[in-house]
Amino acid sequence: MAKIKHTNTYDVVDYIFTAAKEKGIMHINSEEQSFNGEKFTIKGRELVNFGTCGYLGLEKHPKILAKSHELLDKYGSHFSISRTFIKAPYLEELENLVSRIFDNRPVIIYTSTSVAHQSIIGTIVESNDLIILDQQVHYSVQYPSQFAKLQGTMVKMIRHNNMEMLEDFIKRGYNQYNKIWYMADGVYSMYGDLPHKKELLYLLEKYPKLHLYFDDAHGVGWTGNKGCGTVFGSFKYNERVVLISTLAKGFGSIGGIAIFNDKEMYRKINIYGGVLAYTHPLSPANVGAAIGSAEILLSDEIDEYQNELKELIKYLNIKLAEFNLTNTSSEETPIYFIGTGSAKVTHNLIQKVLADGFYVNTATYPVVPNDKTGLRFTLTRHNTKKDIDQLVSSINKNFHLAVEEENEDLEKIYKVFNIPFKGKLIEKIIEEKNVFVEKYKSISEIEPCLWDRFFSDKGNYSYNGLKCIEEIFSNNDKVEENWSFHYVIIKDKDGNVVLATFFTGAIYKDDMLSHTNVSRQIEEERKHNPYYLCSQTLAMGCLFTEGTHLYIDAEHVLVNQALNSFFVEVEKIKNETNSKVVILRDFQSDFKFQKVFENEGYVRVSMPNTNIVSLPKWNTKDELLSFLSSKNSINNIKRYVFKYEDQYDISIKKTLTDAEAEKHYQLFTNIKKANYAFNFFSYPNKIAKILSQYEDWEFIEFRIKDSEELIGCIWHFVGKNHSCPLVVGLNYDYVKSHHLYKQVMYYMVKRGNDLGKSKTYLGITSDYEKQKYAAVSIPTFAYIRIQDTYNFDIINSYSNM
């Protein structure tokens, strides 16, 4: 099985967050010596706090502090024993108080909301249940749901708040599963929007197997009767509803809360509850603070505090509407999201708002699509109307400045977030008097010598190579086998090329670079739905090429203008092809313009290594081995390659008959079907026949000596100074018995040497086998932009199955 280096999601997030940290907008250290919720001190400056979630501003309420000190004095710093053995009296007091907030429903207090989810999902969800996750349900819910898969629970995901999709999943699974759990937030933490409560009540009544599981962490405290939150009032009479929340936001304390309508479910969790039985309880000081907060929520004070916050919310909504900002949030919640589109505008805007003295949050990929980033902020009772006036003024002023400075298209940003634009347009300006863009739909429209000057020895995408590729991937029956071609050449006024590349528009499998076990699961679904988790994609290069697809004259005085024009053209082609994903590839670690790409909203992800052999010319096997430094590699080649070489008949052909081409294709599909490491749609079955018509291609064939049966093949592109054995086909019956793949690998290297080529491009996968021949495995990267993260969220959810 071929192996490749896969993209690690955490590496992607690390890269994005590190870039934001370097710009001073994330992972900021506060410096204040005391904190009351109103301001942060950052780098010696006071910033008004519009970033925390203590919505009622209870951090230093006298009753909360007094109760915290009281319990600290009585019980010390910690009560170090599991509640399974002994439950502290103050914890019982807190649970009784919180229960009163929720109409005397049974309640369990946890050390955190995340622990609550792990405990409850792990205990009440069974292997014959179905979990349906809302796409934007909090990560603390998604994480334990993935572990539920390990016991056999099926987990699916719907697009955010898509009730039609939810009902469809319910219908399809209704006779298959015992219980169906829909898991959602009471207030979604990124956009501040709400679930569709009326539709959910309807579905709850219509489908007796349906259970609802809410995380209302951002709703409890600041709204609802006695602070019961956004969803409890609507669902408190149904035993098939579980509500989880937190003491860490509206309560002004710390800890998680689980509220049950079903007493038997409560009993089951309380008696054991998985991790609940093995975690220490909240400290006395924290419980004391929570008791003080619960007493406030149960008093008349809560009405006053809630009304104050809601008055501020109403005022802020009016101010935002006055400036027609790209506010995507619900008018009912204290969470706000100002969409800015690309990361460069987001970073620029937030830096300016911070400089004006207001702390706000950064919302970036992968939490949101990387062309739908934005500024997120929260409202608390600490904020005043004056604060609001100044913040909105700062955002409005700096939003337009950031768009102008980053040379972005203002109207496009409003379109991305589906918000009508009412102001004056600031169009993205390209100095076309200095650089000139040429676009073509076919390589035949370009002068061969011009194209080959930059790409003839980069791989199989010379002028003639691309004529061949265009013929292969046109006029086919299957939609995925028809690609659109887009060539971009940018010149200065004297006709000198500053930038050149080509793109293809095609349907890609979104799990193309996912781990093998993930793609194998997805392919099972594709047996019934062939385009499941696939997206129309605009990619630099194509799925039949590999190498340096982008030429840039980095020293040209107009290189930055050329890059600006390049990104404008990419956006145009993306829209023209209706692509949801853009992939710019293959770049190496020393790529000079990575910051430019990132600022345009592209995220860097790892691609498979590329492998290149650059050995001196060798004439004998011993001479080849003398160039290899690894004794293990030398011994392996002697034992598994040279020892079996005389058992093969090797032939090289320039053309194939139709029957031979069909046999070659069958051998290729053997590998394609067995290998999920690099998962893409198979090439058209006419491919070998078309390749055979082009003089740059040759075919190396493998047969057992004195046999007519073709058992292996290499499709080999021969360049002027390089060798590119691009495709391999195998009969797997001979891979172990005759070490066929090792023999094929040897001839990939040998043929390049025999032809006197200075480099042999061995492509991706099987790095270890290629390194035996002194191939250098070069890490490569791609830059991607995703319009809709739903498919990729689904793919990530497969990883723990």
Side-chain angles (χ1 to χ4, degrees):
M1 182 63 65
K3 294 183 178 180
I4 65 171
K5 178 183 70 174
H6 293 279
T7 295
N8 185 311
T9 302
Y10 292 102
D11 289 341
V12 174
V13 175
D14 173 45
Y15 192 81
I16 294 168
F17 284 13
T18 298
K21 179 180 179 181
E22 290 172 354
K23 293 185 177 182
I25 58 177
M26 287 183 69
H27 287 278
I28 303 170
N29 293 324
S30 62
E31 301 162 350
E32 60 276 352
Q33 300 302 304
S34 64
F35 183 68
N36 63 5
E38 295 178 6
K39 294 183 179 181
F40 288 112
T41 301
I42 298 172
K43 294 184 179 181
R45 297 178 61 245
E46 282 194 336
L47 275 66
V48 178
N49 173 23
F50 278 98
T52 58
C53 301
Y55 302 114
L56 291 179
L58 302 177
E59 292 89 347
K60 282 199 170 182
H61 193 289
K63 291 181 180 179
I64 292 177
L65 295 181
K67 200 66 180 180
S68 178
H69 288 302
E70 178 186 332
L71 264 67
L72 179 63
D73 292 339
K74 282 184 177 181
Y75 296 98
S77 62
H78 193 28
F79 191 75
S80 184
I81 187 170
S82 166
R83 63 183 287 156
T84 304
F85 298 116
I86 296 177
K87 184 177 178 182
Y90 51 81
L91 196 58
E92 183 79 12
E93 179 185 358
L94 174 59
E95 289 181 344
N96 289 335
L97 285 169
V98 174
S99 175
R100 288 172 56 193
I101 295 171
F102 295 96
D103 284 4
N104 297 310
R105 298 298 190 275
V107 166
I108 296 176
I109 300 296
Y110 287 83
T111 52
S112 72
T113 310
S114 295
V115 172
H117 290 311
Q118 292 176 45
S119 166
I120 296 164
I121 293 173
T123 305
I124 66 175
V125 177
E126 299 177 347
S127 59
N128 57 350
D129 290 352
L130 167 65
I131 293 175
I132 303 174
L133 300 170
D134 185 278
Q135 184 184 358
Q136 290 186 18
V137 69
H138 198 270
Y139 180 75
S140 61
V141 177
Q142 296 191 38
Y143 185 75
S145 296
Q146 301 308 316
F147 280 95
K149 292 179 181 178
L150 300 178
Q151 67 176 9
T153 304
M154 177 58 69
V155 179
K156 295 183 177 293
M157 180 180 288
I158 65 164
R159 291 184 178 277
H160 179 49
N161 267 341
N162 189 321
M163 295 296 100
E164 290 183 8
M165 195 173 184
L166 172 60
E167 185 168 15
D168 181 55
F169 278 14
I170 294 170
K171 288 177 179 178
R172 284 196 277 163
Y174 204 74
N175 295 324
Q176 186 177 355
Y177 301 102
N178 183 28
K179 295 176 182 176
I180 299 175
W181 297 89
Y182 175 55
M183 299 186 177
D185 284 359
V187 178
Y188 288 96
S189 59
M190 186 53 55
Y191 296 109
D193 56 327
L194 303 166
H196 297 318
K197 288 180 279 191
K198 289 183 179 179
E199 289 89 338
L200 290 173
L201 284 166
Y202 167 76
L203 293 175
L204 201 59
E205 181 178 354
K206 185 176 180 181
Y207 299 102
K209 286 187 178 182
L210 178 63
H211 292 65
L212 301 183
Y213 184 100
F214 287 110
D215 178 340
D216 198 25
H218 286 276
V220 166
W222 65 268
T223 192
N225 183 40
K226 302 175 185 176
C228 68
T230 61
V231 295
F232 178 74
S234 299
F235 298 94
K236 62 183 179 179
Y237 297 113
N238 196 304
E239 290 187 347
R240 290 179 282 123
V241 177
V242 177
L243 175 61
I244 312 299
S245 190
T246 185
L247 300 167
K249 294 179 171 62
F251 269 77
S253 179
I254 195 71
I257 318 169
I259 304 102
F260 302 90
N261 291 336
D262 183 335
K263 292 183 179 180
E264 174 56 24
M265 189 180 293
Y266 161 76
R267 186 203 66 77
K268 184 178 179 180
I269 298 291
N270 192 45
I271 202 71
Y272 173 62
V275 296
L276 177 65
Y278 304 104
T279 54
H280 285 163
L282 285 171
S283 71
N286 285 330
V287 174
I291 289 173
S293 178
E295 290 174 345
I296 293 171
L297 267 64
L298 290 166
S299 71
D300 292 338
E301 284 184 83
I302 187 60
D303 296 327
E304 176 187 347
Y305 295 159
Q306 286 183 348
N307 289 334
E308 287 179 12
L309 180 62
K310 288 175 182 177
E311 178 62 28
L312 291 172
I313 291 172
K314 181 179 178 181
Y315 183 78
L316 177 52
N317 290 335
I318 292 171
K319 300 301 292 186
L320 289 172
E322 285 179 8
F323 290 103
N324 186 224
L325 289 167
T326 51
N327 175 29
T328 65
S329 303
S330 166
E331 292 187 347
E332 300 178 43
T333 72
I335 299 174
Y336 294 85
F337 186 95
I338 306 298
T340 56
S342 66
K344 63 179 181 180
V345 176
T346 301
H347 292 171
N348 187 321
L349 171 60
I350 290 175
Q351 285 176 321
K352 284 179 164 55
V353 172
L354 291 173
D356 279 352
F358 303 97
Y359 175 73
V360 293
N361 304 141
T362 305
T364 187
Y365 183 85
V367 180
V368 296
N370 50 8
D371 63 348
K372 292 182 180 177
T373 63
L375 178 154
R376 175 187 179 273
F377 67 94
T378 54
L379 187 65
T380 72
R381 279 182 56 250
H382 293 303
N383 302 127
T384 65
K385 290 184 178 180
K386 180 180 178 181
D387 293 334
I388 290 172
D389 288 340
Q390 293 176 339
L391 173 68
V392 174
S393 176
S394 173
I395 293 174
N396 180 59
K397 173 191 68 176
N398 292 313
F399 179 86
H400 291 85
L401 281 175
V403 170
E404 185 174 7
E405 289 176 4
E406 301 300 340
N407 202 20
E408 258 298 358
D409 185 334
L410 184 61
E411 187 177 21
K412 183 187 77 173
I413 295 172
Y414 278 80
K415 285 181 180 178
V416 164
F417 293 99
N418 296 315
I419 296 175
F421 179 72
K422 302 175 182 177
K424 180 181 178 182
L425 288 178
I426 302 175
E427 297 182 354
K428 188 168 184 176
I429 300 170
I430 302 297
E431 297 185 46
E432 294 192 6
K433 64 179 181 180
N434 293 323
V435 294
F436 301 86
V437 178
E438 297 176 359
K439 295 191 296 182
Y440 308 95
K441 292 295 183 69
S442 173
I443 191 66
S444 61
E445 301 172 14
I446 303 172
E447 287 292 329
C449 59
L450 174 66
W451 187 262
D452 284 346
R453 188 192 314 164
F454 306 110
F455 299 110
S456 64
D457 265 316
K458 301 296 186 182
N460 65 315
Y461 43 100
S462 63
Y463 181 87
N464 285 333
L466 281 164
K467 282 187 68 177
C468 176
I469 293 171
E470 286 185 11
E471 185 175 353
I472 292 168
F473 294 97
S474 300
N475 303 313
N476 298 304
D477 293 334
K478 295 180 180 179
V479 63
E480 66 269 21
E481 294 177 356
N482 293 295
W483 301 348
S484 61
F485 290 81
H486 312 268
Y487 299 85
V488 177
I489 299 174
I490 301 177
K491 300 178 180 178
D492 64 16
K493 63 181 180 180
D494 297 320
N496 300 308
V497 175
V498 187
L499 183 152
T501 189
F502 79 99
F503 295 88
T504 48
I507 295 177
Y508 275 38
K509 296 181 177 182
D510 292 327
D511 59 306
M512 181 174 65
L513 296 178
S514 297
H515 285 275
T516 298
N517 69 313
V518 172
S519 289
R520 185 177 288 112
Q521 296 170 70
I522 295 171
E523 287 301 327
E524 287 298 312
E525 181 70 25
R526 289 193 180 122
K527 290 178 180 178
H528 311 287
N529 180 5
Y531 301 112
Y532 177 61
L533 297 181
C534 296
S535 296
Q536 182 67 29
T537 299
L538 179 67
M540 183 181 286
C542 71
L543 287 174
F544 195 61
T545 62
E546 180 257 323
T548 308
H549 294 103
L550 178 65
Y551 167 77
I552 301 179
D553 183 352
E555 304 304 319
H556 199 290
V557 66
L558 298 177
V559 64
N560 289 329
Q561 290 185 30
L563 284 168
N564 286 339
S565 296
F566 166 74
F567 288 116
V568 170
E569 295 308 319
V570 172
E571 187 68 18
K572 289 179 181 177
I573 301 170
K574 170 184 173 291
N575 294 333
E576 177 186 331
T577 57
N578 197 29
S579 295
K580 307 302 180 185
V581 180
V582 178
I583 304 175
L584 310 179
R585 51 173 281 251
D586 301 315
F587 301 96
Q588 297 179 17
S589 57
D590 61 350
F591 181 55
K592 185 175 180 179
F593 300 100
Q594 66 178 31
K595 292 295 183 184
V596 177
F597 279 53
E598 290 166 6
N599 286 337
E600 289 292 333
Y602 289 88
V603 173
R604 193 179 85 165
V605 299
S606 295
M607 292 285 285
N609 295 331
T610 187
N611 295 276
I612 301 176
V613 170
S614 302
L615 292 174
K617 173 75 173 173
W618 47 274
N619 298 304
T620 66
K621 296 175 185 177
D622 288 339
E623 196 172 355
L624 166 63
L625 297 179
S626 71
F627 294 137
L628 308 181
S629 58
S630 168
K631 290 184 178 180
N632 287 337
S633 295
I634 293 170
N635 291 334
N636 188 279
I637 292 170
K638 286 181 178 179
R639 181 177 180 182
Y640 297 111
V641 180
F642 294 166
K643 180 179 178 180
Y644 290 86
E645 187 179 9
D646 61 1
Q647 297 184 21
Y648 288 90
D649 282 331
I650 313 296
S651 58
I652 300 172
K653 296 181 177 180
K654 292 297 291 184
T655 60
L656 302 175
T657 67
D658 288 355
E660 289 170 337
E662 178 62 28
K663 183 60 179 176
H664 273 250
Y665 186 76
Q666 290 174 4
L667 293 177
F668 156 69
T669 56
N670 288 343
I671 285 188
K672 180 69 185 69
K673 290 175 182 177
N675 182 17
Y676 294 105
F678 187 67
N679 199 26
F680 59 96
F681 285 107
S682 189
Y683 300 138
N685 57 17
K686 69 182 183 182
I687 184 169
K689 182 179 179 180
I690 301 297
L691 293 177
S692 169
Q693 299 170 10
Y694 285 81
E695 61 181 12
D696 294 322
W697 287 91
E698 65 177 23
F699 305 89
I700 306 173
E701 298 185 333
F702 296 78
R703 293 176 175 84
I704 297 299
K705 197 167 280 295
D706 300 325
S707 170
E708 294 297 319
E709 182 186 8
L710 182 68
I711 63 170
C713 63
I714 302 171
W715 304 350
H716 183 208
F717 181 86
V718 181
K720 182 178 180 182
N721 298 304
H722 76 287
S723 172
C724 186
L726 193 72
V727 174
V728 168
L730 298 173
N731 181 331
Y732 277 91
D733 291 342
Y734 296 87
V735 169
K736 288 186 177 180
S737 61
H738 290 72
H739 303 286
L740 174 59
Y741 181 67
K742 293 180 182 291
Q743 199 69 217
V744 168
M745 180 63 65
Y746 168 60
Y747 270 86
M748 291 169 70
V749 177
K750 183 178 186 299
R751 184 58 178 162
N753 175 76
D754 292 347
L755 292 171
K757 303 304 180 183
S758 60
K759 290 184 178 181
T760 297
Y761 295 96
L762 296 182
I764 63 174
T765 76
S766 303
D767 294 358
Y768 179 69
E769 287 295 326
K770 294 168 183 177
Q771 289 166 2
K772 291 174 182 175
Y773 294 93
V776 178
S777 293
I778 302 171
T780 63
F781 302 92
Y783 294 89
I784 66 170
R785 278 181 60 178
I786 301 172
Q787 183 173 313
D788 182 347
T789 60
Y790 176 72
N791 281 5
F792 296 89
D793 290 340
I794 294 288
I795 290 168
N796 284 335
S797 76
Y798 274 92
S799 60
N800 287 328
M801 286 183 65

